[in-house]
Every structure is written in C-alpha cells, then in structure tokens.
Amino acid sequence: MGKYKALPLLCLAIPHPYLNSLPSMLTWLLDPLNYEFMRNAIAISLIVGILCPIVGSYLIVQRMALLGDVIAHSVMPGLSISLFLGIDILFGAFVSGILGALTIVLIRAQSRVKVDSAMALTFSSYFALGVMLITVLRNKLDLDSFLFGDILSISVADIWRTLVIAVLILLVIKLFYKELLFYTFDQTGAQAIGLPINAIYMGFMVMITLTIIASMQAVGVILVISLLVGPALTAYLLVKELHQMMLLGALFGVVSSFTGVYLSYFFNLPSGPAIVLVSSSLFLLALLFSPSQGILTRPNLLFRRRRQ
Amino acid sequence: MSIVLILFSDFMLEVQQLAVNYRGIRGLDSVSFRVEPGQLVGVIGPNGAGKSTMFKAMLGLIPKDRGVVKYCTCPLHQQLERVAYVPQRSQIDWDYPITIWNVVMMARTRQLGWLRKPGRSAKELVKTALSQVAMYDLRDRRISDLSGGQQQRVFLARALAQQAELFFFDEPFTGVDTKTEAIMLRIFDDLRQQGKILLISSHDWGQALSQLDRLLLLNQRLIADGAPYQVMTPENLQQAYGATLQTHWQPRFDSNFFC
C-alpha cells in the first residue's frame, strides 16, 4: 500500500504523454481530497502517524507499553470534567492522564503490588470513573467518537493543536536523545552517572500523555495504544538501533494511518479500526518475513534447532 | 613531602557506618571501611548478603538509613562523574535495539553535557576502550547477538571510556568465559597501576582471589576486612555463610567445624 503514496509525486516527474496511462489511479487518490474533511483527516493522520511510533518506541524498549493504555484510559474523567466546566479539554485530559500514571507510581512505591496488576486496576478504575462522570455530569459528548476516534470530523484548529504538540515533543526527543537513550537502556547506570532520572521519568509521562491527547481524535482512547506500539514494534523486528526503529516506525505509522483513512473513505469503514488493522497487518508481515527475526525467514533457524 | 602525602591521602574512599533498610528489612548494617587509591578490593558474601545494596547505597542510588560515604572528603554521591558503575548484567534488557558502539558511547553522556553530540575525542576514547577489551571489530553488532562474556566486556569498555577514578563492578564474573575473565583481570590490574580505586563484588572468586589487594566479607554487616588469606578463615566463613556453605572450600570447613 505504501507505494501508492508516492504516486502523485512520481507523476509530476513523468513527461506529459505518460500521465494519461494513470488517470484512474490518480482519480482514486485525488478524489477524496476534494472534500475538506478528507484533507483534514489525511493531515492529522500524517502527524499522528509520525508522532505515535516515535514516542511508542520508548514505551516498547522500557517494557512499558501498557502504560500507554493506562494513560489513554485515564484521560476520560478529565475530559468529562473539563467539558462540564467549559474549559479546554486538553487541560482536563492532561491532568487526568498524568494522575493515572502517578497512581501507578504511588501503588508501586507504597506496596508490594506488581506493576501489571496496578496498571490493570488503575486504568479500569479511571475509565469507569470517566464513563460514570459523562452520565452524571450530562456531558454532551459522543462517547463513541472518543472511544474509537472520529478522524472524519477533524477541524483545522485540531490539526494545528496536534501539530504544535507533535513538533514540541519531537524537538525534545531530538535535543535529549543521548540522555533518553541512556535512561531507557540502563536506568540504574543513568542514575549512577548523575542523570536526573525522576525528572526524566516525569518528562516521559508528560510526553506520552500529550501524544495520546494529540492522537485521541484520530483513533480514540481505546485504540491509540495500537498506533503507539504497532508501527514501532514492526520496525523493531527489522532494525538494530533505536533511532532506526523510530524512523522506520514513523514511516509505517504514516502508511497505516494514510491507508486506513482511504479504506475508511472508500468502503465506509470506521476510521480508527481501519488504521489499527492496517498497522497490525504490517506487524504480521514483519513477524513472518523480517530478514533477521522473521518466523519464515530467520537465518539458520532449522539448523539451530537441530543442534540443540 | 608532607603536602604530597596529605594530597595523596585525600584521594581516599571512606565509608562510615553505612546502613540500609528496605521495607523494614535490614539490608546493610553499619558497614565501615576505607580504600586508598590503587587498591583492588573484592567484596564477597552469599546471595542476598547486600553486596549490590552496598554499592548502590554508596552511590546514593538507593536511600540509606544512616552513614556517610566520602571521596576526597566530600560526599561521593555529589561527584558521580568520577565514578564508573557497572550493574549486574541481569539488570539490562539485552534485546534493546542498540549497537555495541553506542552502548560504550553512553559513557561520555555526562562529560559531553546536555544537548551536545560526541566529537572526535569522545570517539577516540570509545575506540580505545573497545580495543582494550577486544570488541572493536564487533562495534556495529546489535547487543542481542553477544555472548555473556562479550556483554560483560562491552560494559567494561563503557566503564573505561568514562575515565573514572572509582570503579564499581557488580558480579562481573557471573557467566563469563575464561577469555573474558582474563581480559577483565588484566584491565583491573592496569587500573590499579594507574592509582584507581576498584570495588568488585562476586559470590565466587575462585582463582582470581589471589589478585586482590583486599577482600571484604559481607553478610549484612562487614564480617572481615583484610588480605584474602586473612579473610577466608573457617571462622569467618562460618559467620558469613552459616551451615549451608556451598563452595569449593566446604570439605575443609566442614571437618573443622564438626570434628
């Protein structure tokens, strides 16, 4: 599917007579762009497709993927309260998401409860509270669109907000890449050379929460974890360094969300699930055919098995 | 002459009454010792004796209950840039997507400072360190492809590239091959010659025991401190290991104790 994306650019480079041989494909690609809602959907899917895998790579290598899920579910109470108070939902969702993450830190620090159980309890509780508040506070909120995303109702203001968040986060990652690499690889070692690990941890929480809020409208709070983890995990199977994982993951993210939006348009499918399923299909392909780690293509697999 | 002596004795690592409690459990009980520059100090004790805990508490990585750890008369945790700490290999996720070269480059993170990228001198240091542990040819490999011994050598190279004055190695001999062990012992000796302070923990020292200047026998408290042969006496070992001693000196010890 990825090659279709490059076609419009390709066409510009081709001499005029050849252009006539591609009209149906071109119409197929360009037709949706006549509608503003599709232009907006494509714009936000590109931003989110780049941002999510880059932030998600950090979640994967720290074995904290479920933390993304926790924060995503934890934004619900904040959404409801900020709608009720008439303040910006960004603010409420942010505070609420951070509180969810801190709840886990608190439970872990103060008891022997293991992190997976703490996460399961925390995210379901915050989610329940959110759904409860939406009813109690009589929010005029389409629950479905928050749970599963509604990429076709994105406004230009939404795009700008997502773009600002994305640029900020990517800038921070670029500037502190060296420190974040050390921290995520060897936390004790990072502490032992004097890096401020608590500040870095808080920074991660903020980064993940903002990423989720930025992506919420595109894929919804339940499915955002898939965009955080899926494309980056696909890349993880194909490369050997973190920055490569981020870049290739971003490419897969863009391809997934772009393809998902088009599928959604042409076949009248829900956009969030379409994006997620494309991303998961890419992962499946990598799992089967990765040159170094693919189930079917792993070098010397049979040989190694026999030797053991 | 006297000034030189004072300066020299200033470069001393001093641990006073270090105590650690972890959720109500005594981890370390009032440990005190001093190490002078150029000393290779081994730390031995059974599993759970507090060897890792002591290293971490000394560096301020875990909160201590009581006690002071000083280097050059200042608290050690305020001068971590002078310390190279090598954690146990089991603490690391070796499937992390990173190459050997970039693991060793991490050593320069603190010295480079925030927002700066490694320049030529940092690259030279990393190259030298990798060559010293015979890993330079594998520098572009992903760390998941390495054997246990090679992993340990990568961490040793990272410690070397830090250009530290104090070195803490937590169980570096666990699961390594003889080649790695030989390289490590040679480098430990080099560092000692350069006047560095080395603290190395191991639950089983084997033949390497003879290379140590000093041995600390630990089980929550410091049971013995001195030359290896002074420390490894049946009485001390009985105190540290109790009746469940499971090491190569067991037969001799049993006969001493039960007859």
Side-chain angles (χ1 to χ4, degrees):
Chain A
M1 285 295 185
K3 61 176 187 254
Y4 295 151
K5 198 169 69 68
L7 268 180
L9 289 174
L10 200 65
C11 298
L12 295 178
I14 295 172
H16 185 64
Y18 294 97
L19 208 59
N20 294 332
S21 60
L22 293 164
S24 64
M25 184 65 74
L26 216 55
T27 325
W28 190 85
L29 267 169
L30 295 179
D31 183 42
L33 295 178
N34 292 326
Y35 304 98
E36 196 197 351
F37 73 90
M38 274 304 282
R39 286 198 298 273
N40 291 348
I42 288 166
I44 206 150
S45 70
L46 292 182
I47 303 170
V48 167
I50 291 171
L51 177 65
C52 277
I54 291 178
V55 173
S57 296
Y58 283 124
L59 285 176
I60 292 169
V61 296
Q62 294 184 85
R63 304 183 207 184
M64 294 207 314
L66 279 178
L67 185 68
D69 215 15
V70 172
I71 294 178
H73 285 74
S74 301
V75 301
M76 292 294 285
L79 275 177
S80 172
I81 291 172
S82 45
L83 278 172
F84 179 71
L85 297 176
I87 55 177
D88 193 336
I89 56 164
L90 178 71
F91 182 72
F94 179 75
V95 171
S96 183
I98 294 284
L99 279 179
L102 289 180
T103 308
I104 294 163
V105 176
L106 185 81
I107 293 176
R108 283 189 74 190
Q110 299 299 323
S111 73
R112 288 162 191 274
V113 172
K114 296 289 179 281
V115 67
D116 56 333
S117 320
M119 282 180 170
L121 190 70
T122 306
F123 91 72
S124 51
S125 304
Y126 273 81
F127 189 62
L129 181 66
V131 175
M132 187 74 85
L133 282 176
I134 287 172
T135 312
V136 172
L137 301 178
R138 294 171 204 278
N139 289 147
K140 284 188 187 126
L141 170 77
D142 178 14
L143 190 57
D144 260 17
S145 72
F146 269 104
L147 294 185
F148 305 111
D150 190 5
I151 203 169
L152 303 180
S153 68
I154 302 281
S155 70
V156 176
D158 293 332
I159 295 177
W160 277 110
R161 166 187 288 179
T162 306
L163 187 65
V164 168
I165 292 178
V167 168
L168 273 179
I169 291 177
L170 295 181
L171 193 66
V172 166
I173 289 177
K174 173 89 182 136
L175 288 177
F176 298 110
Y177 185 78
K178 161 166 65 72
E179 286 78 13
L180 295 177
L181 183 73
F182 201 154
Y183 171 85
T184 53
F185 173 65
D186 175 9
Q187 205 173 318
T188 319
Q191 194 186 1
I193 65 155
L195 289 182
I197 60 161
N198 289 328
I200 295 177
Y201 184 79
M202 265 321 286
F204 265 121
M205 296 298 134
V206 170
M207 207 156 80
I208 296 160
T209 311
L210 285 176
T211 304
I212 286 167
I213 292 171
S215 325
M216 212 162 51
Q217 282 170 300
V219 283
V221 296
I222 294 189
L223 296 178
V224 66
I225 185 71
S226 166
L227 211 48
L228 280 168
V229 173
L233 214 48
T234 311
Y236 177 80
L237 295 176
L238 301 170
V239 301
K240 61 178 181 180
E241 295 211 65
L242 182 68
H243 66 270
Q244 297 165 341
M245 177 174 166
M246 290 173 162
L247 294 176
L248 194 60
L251 179 67
F252 289 144
V254 167
V255 169
S256 304
S257 34
F258 196 82
T259 315
V261 170
Y262 268 82
L263 289 175
S264 165
Y265 174 84
F266 282 113
F267 302 103
N268 197 23
L269 299 168
S271 54
I275 293 171
V276 168
L277 288 176
V278 173
S279 144
S280 301
S281 309
L282 290 179
F283 173 75
L284 200 62
L285 286 178
L287 187 66
L288 291 173
F289 300 111
S290 156
S292 56
Q293 300 166 63
I295 293 172
L296 302 177
T297 44
R298 220 175 313 191
N300 299 329
L301 178 71
L302 290 172
F303 179 64
R304 232 183 275 161
R305 283 260 168 83
R306 263 184 223 137
R307 242 188 353 185
Q308 274 171 3
Chain B
M1 186 61 197
S2 63
I3 293 168
V4 172
L5 269 177
I6 289 165
L7 280 177
F8 187 72
S9 64
D10 268 358
F11 284 92
M12 178 135 62
L13 177 67
E14 193 168 5
V15 178
Q16 295 167 358
Q17 312 226 304
L18 186 63
V20 177
N21 277 331
Y22 183 69
R23 286 186 182 147
I25 300 163
R26 172 65 42 90
L28 212 59
D29 186 5
S30 200
V31 170
S32 303
F33 61 91
R34 295 166 147 212
V35 186
E36 278 164 22
Q39 274 198 337
L40 177 55
V41 181
V43 181
I44 194 170
N47 285 328
K51 302 186 291 287
S52 301
T53 306
M54 182 175 85
F55 283 0
K56 287 181 182 171
M58 285 174 74
L59 299 173
L61 305 183
I62 53 172
K64 57 178 187 269
D65 236 32
R66 201 154 36 82
V68 191
V69 181
K70 284 192 215 161
Y71 178 62
C72 301
T73 69
C74 284
L76 182 62
H77 67 88
Q78 289 174 1
Q79 26 183 350
L80 290 175
E81 68 277 4
R82 303 167 95 164
V83 179
Y85 165 74
V86 177
Q88 285 186 33
R89 262 193 307 126
S90 59
Q91 282 193 7
I92 302 295
D93 172 17
W94 291 97
D95 285 328
Y96 194 102
I98 191 168
T99 56
I100 292 172
W101 176 268
N102 281 327
V103 170
V104 180
M105 188 55 90
M106 283 180 184
R108 305 309 299 164
T109 304
R110 178 77 190 259
Q111 279 76 8
L112 283 168
W114 300 91
L115 309 181
R116 301 255 306 277
K117 288 204 159 124
R120 193 199 279 169
S121 65
K123 286 174 184 163
E124 275 305 313
L125 281 170
V126 170
K127 186 180 171 186
T128 313
L130 276 171
S131 308
Q132 275 178 282
V133 299
M135 290 295 286
Y136 183 68
D137 292 340
L138 301 177
R139 62 189 178 279
D140 290 327
R141 288 270 186 94
R142 186 171 164 171
I143 54 166
S144 50
D145 299 341
L146 304 181
S147 73
Q150 290 172 325
Q151 291 175 349
Q152 195 63 55
R153 277 188 267 156
V154 171
F155 266 20
L156 179 58
R158 189 176 80 173
L160 289 172
Q162 265 182 270
Q163 301 215 297
E165 294 162 36
L166 296 101
F167 291 78
F168 290 73
F169 291 91
D170 201 350
E171 298 279 355
F173 297 110
T174 306
V176 303
D177 49 302
T178 45
K179 180 186 177 190
T180 299
E181 190 173 320
I183 290 175
M184 283 200 291
L185 290 172
R186 195 193 69 225
I187 286 174
F188 291 161
D189 198 49
D190 286 351
L191 291 170
R192 165 171 51 186
Q193 307 266 328
Q194 294 165 29
K196 314 281 188 186
I197 289 177
L198 290 98
L199 269 80
I200 298 156
S201 80
S202 177
H203 61 276
D204 182 13
W205 278 93
Q207 296 303 312
L209 207 55
S210 57
Q211 297 231 355
L212 297 175
D213 296 313
R214 227 168 110 193
L215 188 63
L216 307 179
L217 179 61
L218 194 74
N219 194 354
Q220 265 75 59
R221 60 190 184 82
L222 190 57
I223 290 165
D225 173 3
Y229 69 91
Q230 292 171 322
V231 168
M232 298 299 263
T233 63
E235 295 76 26
N236 284 340
L237 294 172
Q238 154 66 11
Q239 274 194 50
Y241 289 83
T244 55
L245 185 60
Q246 292 285 325
T247 40
H248 55 275
W249 58 81
Q250 187 168 11
R252 184 166 50 94
F253 159 72
D254 274 353
S255 59
N256 279 343
F257 187 64
F258 289 111
C259 297

